[in-house]
Amino acid sequence: MQVNYSDAELLVLLKEDPDKAVEILFRQYYSYVCKMVYQVVPDAMVAEDIAQDIFFEMWRKKEQLNINTSLRAYLRRASVNRTLNYLRNRKIKWEDDSELPNLQSEDVSINQTLENAELQQVIEQAIDQLPERCRAVFMLSRFEELSYQEIANQLDISIKTVENQISKALKQLRITLRPYLSDTLLILLLFLGW
């Protein structure tokens, strides 16, 4: 019989027994991550490969993992980042395939990591620039994955106000992030709920 662990229990277990924690995370969240990726790349094999890469990377870095959000939010963000990397890498066109073996995959990985970190920082700064109520509503919606009704109840506001604040946040984020993202990536992020 499989026991489901709460996020709090898993976060404690990550510090006490990282191997076991990542194994449990995989069992509990693998299908969720696959579904997230599949929404953008509707190819089951690709979605499974990307999901497996995400959990492998978590296992590889299990000693350094520091998750400050809910596990669903963390895995959602990892899914978005890894899927965007996949889409970006598919667009790379090589004029001469003989150059391909000369590239060092470590350099590519370092560049991707730096680009992701820079983009993540820009996104976080853009979110931080939102007005306080707008930022609170947006973060509850996108990072805690609360429904509009749950947000309205938690903040003691109407659903219409929640809708307006989300709309306002997305509009401002589109404006702020446009210089950093191609139209395709911007549309993709907004499709995923950013």
Side-chain angles (χ1 to χ4, degrees):
M1 181 165 101
Q2 183 176 339
V3 176
N4 279 339
Y5 289 77
S6 70
D7 280 8
E9 291 170 326
L10 282 170
L11 291 172
V12 169
L13 193 58
L14 268 171
K15 295 185 185 332
E16 294 173 357
D17 188 354
D19 283 321
K20 183 176 181 183
V22 172
E23 179 185 334
I24 294 168
L25 276 167
F26 180 81
R27 283 198 316 262
Q28 284 187 203
Y29 287 103
Y30 178 74
S31 63
Y32 170 75
V33 172
C34 286
K35 288 175 189 172
M36 290 298 306
V37 175
Y38 190 82
Q39 288 178 353
V40 181
V41 182
D43 180 324
M45 290 184 69
V46 171
E48 289 177 13
D49 285 347
I50 291 172
Q52 289 170 13
D53 287 346
I54 290 167
F55 286 103
F56 175 73
E57 193 68 18
M58 286 181 76
W59 176 81
R60 201 172 68 76
K61 295 182 177 180
K62 62 186 177 272
E63 304 294 335
Q64 297 87 29
L65 276 181
N66 186 17
I67 300 173
N68 298 317
T69 62
S70 72
L71 290 171
R72 287 178 86 78
Y74 177 86
L75 290 168
R76 179 185 176 114
R77 184 172 295 186
S79 300
V80 168
N81 289 342
R82 192 61 71 130
T83 304
L84 290 175
N85 287 346
Y86 169 80
L87 292 173
R88 184 178 56 228
N89 291 341
R90 285 200 54 210
K91 288 188 137 192
I92 294 174
K93 298 201 181 353
W94 304 102
E95 290 180 16
D96 182 3
D97 286 343
S98 65
E99 293 177 24
L100 191 56
N102 295 330
L103 292 176
Q104 294 181 2
S105 62
E106 196 172 298
D107 291 341
V108 172
S109 177
I110 290 169
N111 287 339
Q112 287 174 345
T113 301
L114 289 173
E115 287 174 14
N116 287 345
E118 289 171 11
L119 180 56
Q120 185 63 42
Q121 185 176 13
V122 167
I123 291 171
E124 287 172 5
Q125 288 172 347
I127 292 170
D128 287 344
Q129 291 173 4
L130 294 172
E132 186 176 337
R133 176 179 271 186
C134 188
R135 183 174 63 244
V137 169
F138 181 79
M139 291 179 75
L140 288 172
S141 171
R142 296 315 190 252
F143 299 125
E144 297 302 320
E145 298 183 355
L146 297 181
S147 69
Y148 285 9
Q149 182 65 60
E150 291 169 324
I151 295 169
N153 292 344
Q154 186 168 332
L155 298 178
D156 197 25
I157 57 178
S158 71
I159 292 178
K160 188 67 175 168
T161 301
V162 172
E163 291 171 356
N164 289 339
Q165 293 298 317
I166 292 290
S167 178
K168 181 178 178 179
L170 291 175
K171 181 179 179 183
Q172 184 60 44
L173 290 173
R174 274 187 219 109
I175 292 167
T176 305
L177 298 175
R178 180 161 298 283
Y180 300 97
L181 303 173
S182 70
D183 288 339
T184 305
L185 287 177
L186 189 59
I187 290 167
L188 178 61
L189 285 175
L190 295 174
F191 170 77
L192 289 172
W194 279 83

